[in-house]
Amino acid sequence: EVVSAHCQDSVLKVSDIDFLARENRFILAMNRFVWENGERQNVRTKSILHFERVTNVATRNIDLKNKETVLSLLAVIFTATDTPAGNIDLVFSADAAIRLSVECIEAQLADMDVVWEASSKPNHNDS
């Protein structure tokens, strides 16, 4: 839930996704909206989110050959299957998703030193 809250409304291209199967590592490079700044300022930062102990990756409605496709991350959701193992779903707009099968949750989110003012603040209508 904490990772999901920090990553909500991040944007990335398909080319920013990498699964290193031999290392059981899945990596996303993204432009993250810095929600923890609250109302003070609207900024984005370059961030890296990676998951370890990934045994399988599946996608829905993502053309992995079209590297320029832009994805907007809405949520990161964990569902246990055989605790501590489970699935991590990366839910994107336009009904796109990536499901990671993991042995357990082992994730890290790191911000790079690149920060810029966002042109607007993401807005989610309750409807």
Side-chain angles (χ1 to χ4, degrees):
E1 292 175 3
V2 172
V3 170
S4 185
H6 279 80
C7 293
Q8 181 179 354
D9 298 310
S10 293
V11 290
L12 59 136
K13 291 183 178 181
V14 169
S15 61
D16 297 323
I17 299 169
D18 200 5
F19 177 45
L20 306 173
R22 289 184 180 168
E23 298 175 33
N24 296 94
R25 178 177 295 134
F26 183 85
I27 304 168
L28 291 173
M30 59 190 155
N31 297 330
R32 186 177 76 78
F33 190 85
V34 184
W35 284 107
E36 60 270 27
N37 278 346
E39 297 297 323
R40 293 179 296 169
Q41 56 182 319
N42 294 339
V43 296
R44 285 193 180 270
T45 184
K46 189 65 147 176
S47 299
I48 305 295
L49 174 62
H50 70 89
F51 297 92
E52 303 294 327
R53 299 177 179 249
V54 178
T55 58
N56 191 49
V57 176
T59 62
R60 180 183 71 220
N61 295 331
I62 298 175
D63 180 0
L64 296 175
K65 293 178 185 175
N66 189 350
K67 301 292 186 186
E68 293 301 308
T69 299
V70 175
L71 302 169
S72 179
L73 185 60
L74 301 177
V76 179
I77 302 166
F78 176 74
T79 306
T81 54
D82 185 17
T83 306
N87 295 316
I88 296 173
D89 291 315
L90 305 168
V91 180
F92 299 93
S93 61
D95 196 36
I98 299 173
R99 173 167 281 178
L100 310 177
S101 298
V102 296
E103 296 172 0
C104 64
I105 300 173
E106 187 174 330
Q108 182 177 15
L109 175 65
D111 292 337
M112 304 295 108
D113 289 333
V114 181
V115 178
W116 64 95
E117 186 173 343
S119 59
S120 64
K121 184 174 186 174
N123 182 16
H124 298 274
N125 294 331
D126 291 336
S127 60

